[in-house]
């Protein structure tokens, strides 16, 4: 691990910044490759288990791998732009917002696993990715680069931006 002195208040180590897009690619590759076919195979189970979400289940199950991959590519492009901006400018708030939104997304998959009662694509990569995010969050906290108010504001704004972006992507995709 990095010695605490390496993380100056003005700059985050490149490893923390660029680990986020790497984690995103690994996680979304698993989702793009395996989730559409899993949803197709488990559509009836999900419809029975969650009858109020039957329409959404049908729309999600009809999403092709290529369309899912296009949606993930847009999210990756946004994440890469924000990470490059943070790397160049040392303005880390947008990056922190997306980092916290991604960690929340991963945690959400674990909640989905508990609710659905079956392991599904996205959970497998969420577990190690969430562990790495936990390590990253620990490094950020001990660095004291951000205070609690900044974590809360960035976390809420990142979740809102990610949710709106995801809603827009699904609207464009027709799911």
């Amino acid at each position: 691990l990095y010695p605490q002195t390496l993380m100056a208040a003005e700059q985050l180590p490149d490893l923390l910044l660029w680990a986020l897009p790497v984690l995103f690619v690994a996680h979304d590759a698993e989702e793009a490759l395996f989730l559409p076919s899993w949803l197709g195979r488990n559509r009836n189970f999900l419809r029975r288990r969650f009858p109020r979400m039957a329409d959404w289940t049908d729309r999600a199950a009809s999403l092709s791998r290529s369309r899912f991959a296009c949606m993930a590519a847009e999210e990756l492009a946004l994440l890469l732009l924000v990470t490059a901006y943070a790397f160049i400018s040392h303005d880390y708030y947008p990056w922190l917002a997306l980092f916290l939104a991604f960690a929340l997304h991963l945690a959400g998959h674990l909640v989905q696993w508990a609710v659905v009662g079956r392991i599904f694509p996205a959970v497998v990569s969420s577990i190690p990715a969430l562990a790495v995010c936990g390590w990253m969050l620990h490094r950020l906290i001990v660095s004291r680069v951000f205070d609690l108010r900044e974590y809360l504001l960035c976390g809420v704004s990142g979740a809102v931006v990610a949710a709106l972006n995801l809603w827009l992507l699904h609207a464009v995709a027709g799911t």
Side-chain angles (χ1 to χ4, degrees):
L1 296 177
Y2 289 153
Q4 205 163 351
T5 57
L6 184 61
M7 253 202 234
E10 299 82 33
Q11 189 172 10
L12 295 180
D14 298 348
L15 176 65
L16 287 183
L17 288 176
W18 294 104
L20 181 56
V22 171
L23 290 172
F24 178 87
V25 167
H27 175 69
D28 269 43
E30 178 193 17
E31 284 184 328
L33 289 172
F34 303 112
L35 191 58
S37 59
W38 186 92
L39 285 169
R41 287 191 314 275
N42 290 276
R43 178 190 305 204
N44 290 333
F45 163 76
L46 293 170
R47 288 176 61 95
R48 283 191 310 275
R49 181 118 163 92
F50 307 102
R52 291 184 183 169
M53 296 183 65
D55 289 342
W56 181 88
T57 300
D58 290 341
R59 288 192 311 274
S62 70
L63 188 63
S64 69
R65 276 190 184 97
S66 59
R67 187 164 286 181
F68 190 97
C70 287
M71 293 167 66
E74 183 274 343
E75 292 176 318
L76 177 61
L78 178 64
L79 184 56
L80 287 171
L81 285 171
V82 167
T83 302
Y85 170 76
F87 178 75
I88 293 165
S89 70
H90 304 292
D91 176 6
Y92 301 114
Y93 293 124
W95 179 90
L96 180 64
L98 293 185
F99 166 71
L100 294 171
F102 180 66
L104 184 63
H105 169 81
L106 296 172
H109 283 316
L110 299 184
V111 171
Q112 289 172 325
W113 178 22
V115 170
V116 170
R118 291 184 180 178
I119 196 162
F120 57 91
V123 171
V124 175
S125 64
S126 292
I127 295 168
L130 200 52
V132 173
C133 285
W135 173 80
M136 292 168 67
L137 184 59
H138 168 74
R139 297 305 309 152
L140 290 170
I141 290 169
V142 300
S143 74
R144 294 195 157 94
V145 173
F146 306 106
D147 62 28
L148 179 59
R149 181 184 62 83
E150 292 168 320
Y151 281 110
L152 293 174
L153 289 173
C154 287
V156 169
S157 62
V160 168
V161 167
L164 288 173
N165 188 56
L166 195 57
W167 175 82
L168 180 63
L169 289 172
H170 279 284
V172 169
T175 56

